[in-house]
Amino acid sequence: KIDRIDNLHQRTRFNLCGKGNKKPTGKKIQSPIKRLIASCTDRLGGHLYATIDLDRSRVARTMMRRHPKWFQNFHVYTAHSISKIVFTVKEDEPVDATLIGRAYLPVTEVITGRPIDRWLDLLDEHKIPIQGGAKIHVRVKFNSVRRDVDWNKGIILPYSFKGVPNAYFN
């Protein structure tokens, strides 16, 4: 479960053709639509979303929110051999997305099966805490297939088997 972010300070904004207060470099004339999008994005800020990655495999994504409070639950069925769960926070832009930060949760803590309810530091691409000490609140619980009484029994009738939902295999 991804809950929310705390201590996220004002994000820097860039227009579509130039950075910061610089005049656009490239095309000298922007279309009215591009100017409108750039001006609205600069004033309002983009929408934030978070993703869950198992090492390099993206397995879940939250909805986009202007205020980073998602309170979304995910059931991720996986057969990955991984070392960490990565929670990435991005800001949606008119073109592409901007990385806000990443938080890392070692699988060695999760695999015990005990529920984890924790604030994780958001780090930049160099794994340095981002300005202001922003954190993301996550809740994670690992359930082994060994605890599933129906595991390895094949398709159990009378219901029709529709496959493993939201499954990702690596």
Side-chain angles (χ1 to χ4, degrees):
K1 178 176 184 176
I2 297 178
D3 283 343
R4 63 188 178 273
I5 296 176
D6 191 28
N7 295 331
L8 187 62
H9 289 270
Q10 180 67 32
R11 301 177 300 277
T12 57
R13 306 298 310 155
F14 299 97
N15 66 31
L16 291 174
C17 295
K19 293 186 177 182
N21 294 326
K22 290 183 191 175
K23 291 188 178 183
T25 57
K27 294 181 183 177
K28 292 186 178 188
I29 299 173
Q30 290 182 0
S31 71
I33 295 172
K34 283 185 179 179
R35 281 196 307 264
L36 176 64
I37 290 171
S39 117
C40 290
T41 304
D42 284 345
R43 286 191 184 115
L44 301 174
H47 288 80
L48 296 176
Y49 65 92
T51 62
I52 301 173
D53 303 325
L54 302 179
D55 278 337
R56 292 179 169 253
S57 300
R58 174 132 323 131
V59 294
R61 177 185 159 165
T62 65
M63 294 180 284
M64 286 193 253
R65 298 272 194 236
R66 185 162 307 285
H67 303 287
K69 294 182 180 179
W70 296 286
F71 300 105
Q72 279 188 257
N73 293 311
F74 301 97
H75 294 275
V76 178
Y77 299 89
T78 182
H80 287 73
S81 178
I82 61 170
S83 60
K84 61 188 169 283
I85 300 172
V86 183
F87 300 92
T88 304
V89 178
K90 291 186 175 183
E91 181 176 20
D92 188 46
E93 300 287 345
V95 177
D96 206 9
T98 301
L99 174 69
I100 301 295
R102 289 190 173 98
Y104 301 89
L105 184 62
V107 168
T108 53
E109 295 180 34
V110 176
I111 202 130
T112 64
R114 291 189 303 266
I116 295 174
D117 184 349
R118 182 179 304 164
W119 286 94
L120 300 172
D121 291 328
L122 283 175
L123 311 174
D124 66 13
E125 58 271 1
H126 304 292
K127 295 191 178 180
I128 298 170
I130 64 173
Q131 182 181 9
K135 298 176 182 285
I136 185 168
H137 185 217
V138 299
R139 296 177 190 180
V140 179
K141 180 159 182 352
F142 173 74
N143 295 313
S144 174
V145 295
R146 293 183 184 119
R147 292 186 181 180
D148 185 350
V149 294
D150 293 327
W151 175 252
N152 205 19
K153 290 184 181 176
I155 299 170
I156 301 172
L157 298 175
Y159 74 92
S160 66
F161 181 70
K162 295 179 183 169
V164 181
N166 304 317
Y168 300 90
F169 297 94
N170 186 359

